Amino acid sequence: MVLSASRPPTRDPLVELERRVATDGSRPFITWYDLDRGLRTELSGRTFANWVDKSANLLVSMDVAEFPRVANTVLASHPGHWVGLVWTMAVWQLGGHVLAVGRQELDSTDQLDAAVVGPQDAHPVPGLETIACSLHPLGAGFEDHPSGVTDNVEVLSQPDVHWRVPASRPVCFETESVYGWTDLARVEPSSERLLVIPGDDPWQTVCRTLVAPLLGGGSTVIVVGGEPRQIASVADQERARLDRPKPANE
């Protein structure tokens, strides 16, 4: 169960990220592992927020500013990848709406402003500003620039201006279900360092890996791939507790 029905919708993960940067910005916030490829990336709260700000500024430079509706296909194609989480937060900082769908589901671009796609889908979405992400563990770009798209590495040249646009539309996230801004504040907070294995539900993954530690002051170790023995070893090395999602009926 992701939402806490008893908790009043008063806390804002966007405000909590600002607070973390101001008071505890150097502490690890998100640590991402791909055990099958031997990759690891660690982002402090300050580094994560800087990526978010620069990504928001890239949208602004494309004239996609306040209240954008952005298809974030990385959330579906690479669950839990830190780049997908950065883009989710960047859209939210602009008061926008994240659509978490696979690239093959983008048959219609009605009312969409932009699309963020992964390396296997690095070609333009017709009619949309398309940002292609190599998903390099350190945020590097493509070795061969895909034609017709903006390489996500362009965010590094963007200014560090911090955008914070109050949301005025009712939806912040959409998969098979629609979630509003008050749903973000009702996510059960986490003050621990949790190891999370992403699941198939993008909303659940975003809540467990991003929103919960922001609301509770915790941190997340995100692990994809690997065997149980390797995952247990990572948990021990990172001093993280394995977070097992609760059944939906709890």
Side-chain angles (χ1 to χ4, degrees):
M1 182 68 173
V2 171
L3 302 184
S4 173
S6 61
R7 189 165 179 268
T10 56
R11 302 188 72 183
D12 183 340
L14 302 173
V15 172
E16 295 304 323
L17 180 58
E18 294 170 349
R19 180 175 291 118
R20 180 176 294 228
V21 170
T23 63
D24 197 15
S26 61
R27 182 165 58 94
F29 173 48
I30 288 178
T31 306
W32 175 84
Y33 280 85
D34 183 334
L35 292 180
D36 292 339
R37 296 192 293 164
L39 303 176
R40 179 183 185 274
T41 302
E42 183 169 280
L43 303 174
S44 67
R46 184 174 294 113
T47 300
F48 181 83
N50 187 247
W51 273 96
V52 170
D53 286 341
K54 286 179 175 292
S55 299
N57 277 289
L58 181 60
L59 285 177
V60 172
S61 74
M62 297 173 166
D63 294 326
V64 180
E66 296 185 355
F67 320 122
R69 189 167 189 261
V70 178
N72 186 342
T73 73
V74 174
L75 293 175
S77 64
H78 293 79
H81 197 286
W82 65 270
V83 170
L85 300 179
V86 163
W87 273 106
T88 297
M89 202 73 173
V91 174
W92 285 348
Q93 278 193 180
L94 295 174
H97 173 190
V98 173
L99 181 65
V101 295
R103 173 63 177 82
Q104 70 279 4
E105 298 174 62
L106 289 178
D107 296 329
S108 172
T109 58
D110 291 347
Q111 300 179 339
L112 284 173
D113 298 296
V116 177
V117 299
Q120 77 281 13
D121 300 312
H123 49 273
V125 177
L128 292 183
E129 295 281 1
T130 305
I131 299 150
C133 306
S134 71
L135 302 186
H136 185 280
L138 300 180
F142 290 89
E143 292 185 5
D144 297 315
H145 190 293
S147 61
V149 300
T150 298
D151 191 327
N152 187 61
V153 76
E154 294 297 324
V155 303
L156 296 177
S157 64
Q158 296 299 311
D160 297 333
V161 177
H162 178 61
W163 284 85
R164 183 67 169 87
V165 178
S168 66
R169 300 184 181 183
V171 174
C172 70
F173 197 95
E174 182 177 349
T175 53
E176 294 180 358
S177 301
V178 175
Y179 299 93
W181 296 95
T182 55
D183 291 319
L184 289 180
R186 292 175 53 224
V187 172
E188 191 69 35
S190 169
S191 60
E192 299 181 79
R193 183 161 176 78
L194 295 179
L195 188 151
V196 175
I197 300 171
D200 295 331
D201 184 333
W203 169 253
Q204 290 270 347
T205 296
V206 166
C207 287
R208 293 168 66 206
T209 60
L210 177 62
V211 180
L214 281 176
L215 296 183
S219 61
T220 311
V221 179
I222 304 168
V223 176
V224 297
E227 301 175 352
R229 175 181 54 81
Q230 294 174 292
I231 295 170
S233 177
V234 169
D236 184 60
Q237 293 170 22
E238 296 286 349
R239 299 182 180 179
R241 180 176 69 82
L242 178 61
D243 177 44
R244 300 183 183 277
K246 297 178 182 178
N249 60 353
E250 287 191 12

